[in-house]
Amino acid sequence: MQTESQSRDVFYVSDGTAITCETIGHVVLGQFPFRANEQTFPFIESNDKLSDLIRQIELSFARNGVRPLVFFSIVVPELRERLCNAPAYCYDVLGSIVQNIKDDTHMEPVPQLQRSRSVGKDTNTYFERIAAIEYTLAHDDGVSLKGLEQADIILLGVSRSGKTPTSLYMAMQFGLRVVNYPFIADDIRALRLLPIFEMHRHKLFGLTIDAERLTEIRENRMAGSTYASNQQCQTELATVENLFRREAVPYINTSSLSVEEISARILEKSGLKRRLF
């Protein structure tokens, strides 16, 4: 039997990508002490898809004896009503805001499926975002350092400090072209920035992490290795943080931050502007 103070099944449901539901859900659930067992269900646009989802909700309720939490954004009234009758606590992430705007403006909303990610609104910005994602993937984990003049920001840090998920989030959500580079053993021994970064200093931003958290992450990847040892993690982090301070590279500690929070703090500190789509 699942206890409410320990964990809770959480479903993010949308007729679009469900990114908004996830983002709002993460912010809200961060205020509560239970562990969230999260699942995401995008593009719930038909009764068949909704029926499959409701079966998952019913299984969760039967298995745990506790209603799961559902953060949803669905514009079709019939689908929304069916979902709200499932054995779950359902929260319409946009409902109260839409109603408030309706009341304040005295205008009726015109619901549209996938309204927040429609290509038709501006084809150019859509393809700009795709180009940013492709650029970021091509420059992940130091694979390529060509074309740095096109980068909006260059993330530096030791291996497993959160560079890749942050890079992809910033590309997907904000259309930014992000390079990320992991310091390798030679960099750490030399305690230096690569010469190629010198002309792009204004784009550099560092990520660091607590040694205990880094050890835990690396142990999950390569248990028992020198790479995952606490001593190795402490040495790498101390060296790299010293480099950041010496070279005046701004940096943040990612240990207790979600990828959304990491990205927001990078934008705030670097002065980059969000490119919203």
Side-chain angles (χ1 to χ4, degrees):
M1 179 75 68
Q2 182 186 51
T3 61
E4 296 193 29
S5 61
Q6 295 176 339
S7 65
R8 199 68 173 259
D9 286 351
V10 176
F11 296 84
Y12 301 117
V13 180
S14 178
D15 49 32
T17 63
I19 291 174
T20 300
C21 296
E22 288 180 328
T23 301
I24 294 175
H26 291 161
V27 172
V28 172
L29 295 179
Q31 312 301 311
F32 296 90
F34 61 79
R35 177 172 56 86
N37 304 315
E38 300 169 309
Q39 295 184 67
T40 301
F41 296 85
F43 306 115
I44 303 297
E45 303 163 324
S46 68
N47 274 301
D48 287 343
K49 290 182 178 180
L50 182 60
S51 294
D52 291 339
L53 166 64
I54 289 175
R55 277 193 287 272
Q56 294 296 317
I57 293 173
E58 291 171 343
L59 285 172
S60 169
F61 182 52
R63 180 175 62 249
N64 302 314
V66 177
R67 290 173 178 257
L69 309 181
V70 177
F71 292 84
F72 75 92
S73 175
I74 293 179
V75 301
V76 178
E78 295 80 7
L79 298 181
R80 191 166 60 238
E81 184 178 356
R82 279 193 64 201
L83 176 60
C84 290
N85 285 328
Y89 295 117
C90 296
Y91 309 101
D92 186 342
V93 300
L94 301 179
S96 61
I97 298 175
V98 171
Q99 184 60 49
N100 287 340
I101 294 175
K102 174 184 173 181
D103 293 342
D104 292 339
T105 64
H106 307 292
M107 297 176 66
E108 288 292 330
V110 183
Q112 299 177 40
L113 287 174
Q114 302 178 35
R115 58 214 165 278
S116 64
R117 292 294 187 271
S118 173
V119 179
K121 287 184 178 179
D122 191 331
T123 302
N124 289 332
T125 57
Y126 174 80
F127 286 111
E128 286 173 9
R129 181 159 62 115
I130 296 301
I133 294 170
E134 291 176 345
Y135 178 91
T136 300
L137 287 171
H139 292 79
D140 179 44
D141 210 26
V143 169
S144 173
L145 293 178
K146 295 180 180 179
L148 293 187
E149 67 279 358
Q150 299 177 40
D152 293 300
I153 194 162
I154 301 169
L155 300 183
L156 307 175
V158 302
S159 174
R160 317 310 290 181
S161 57
K163 299 181 302 302
T164 292
T166 301
S167 298
L168 291 176
Y169 183 87
M170 293 175 72
M172 294 174 67
Q173 292 298 299
F174 305 133
L176 297 174
R177 299 185 181 215
V178 186
V179 174
N180 82 73
Y181 178 81
F183 286 113
I184 59 176
D186 288 345
D187 300 319
I188 292 173
R189 282 193 293 269
L191 190 60
R192 64 179 176 84
L193 292 174
L194 291 181
I196 196 172
F197 290 144
E198 289 294 338
M199 66 184 71
H200 300 285
R201 275 182 167 272
H202 61 291
K203 299 180 180 180
L204 301 180
F205 199 97
L207 300 184
T208 188
I209 189 171
D210 292 344
E212 295 77 11
R213 178 63 180 142
L214 183 59
T215 298
E216 179 185 353
I217 293 170
R218 290 185 174 183
E219 274 289 331
N220 289 332
R221 184 176 177 84
M222 297 180 64
S225 65
T226 301
Y227 165 80
S229 71
N230 188 258
Q231 181 60 50
Q232 178 69 21
C233 293
Q234 288 181 346
T235 299
E236 289 185 25
L237 289 167
T239 303
V240 168
E241 288 177 14
N242 186 37
L243 174 64
F244 289 155
R245 289 190 291 269
R246 191 190 73 194
E247 301 292 341
V249 175
Y251 68 96
I252 60 172
N253 188 307
T254 66
S255 301
S256 61
L257 302 177
S258 67
V259 68
E260 296 93 341
E261 292 171 312
I262 296 169
S263 300
R265 295 192 185 200
I266 291 173
L267 292 180
E268 178 190 14
K269 288 179 176 289
S270 67
L272 282 174
K273 301 298 183 184
R274 293 169 167 85
R275 296 173 189 157
L276 300 177
F277 302 93

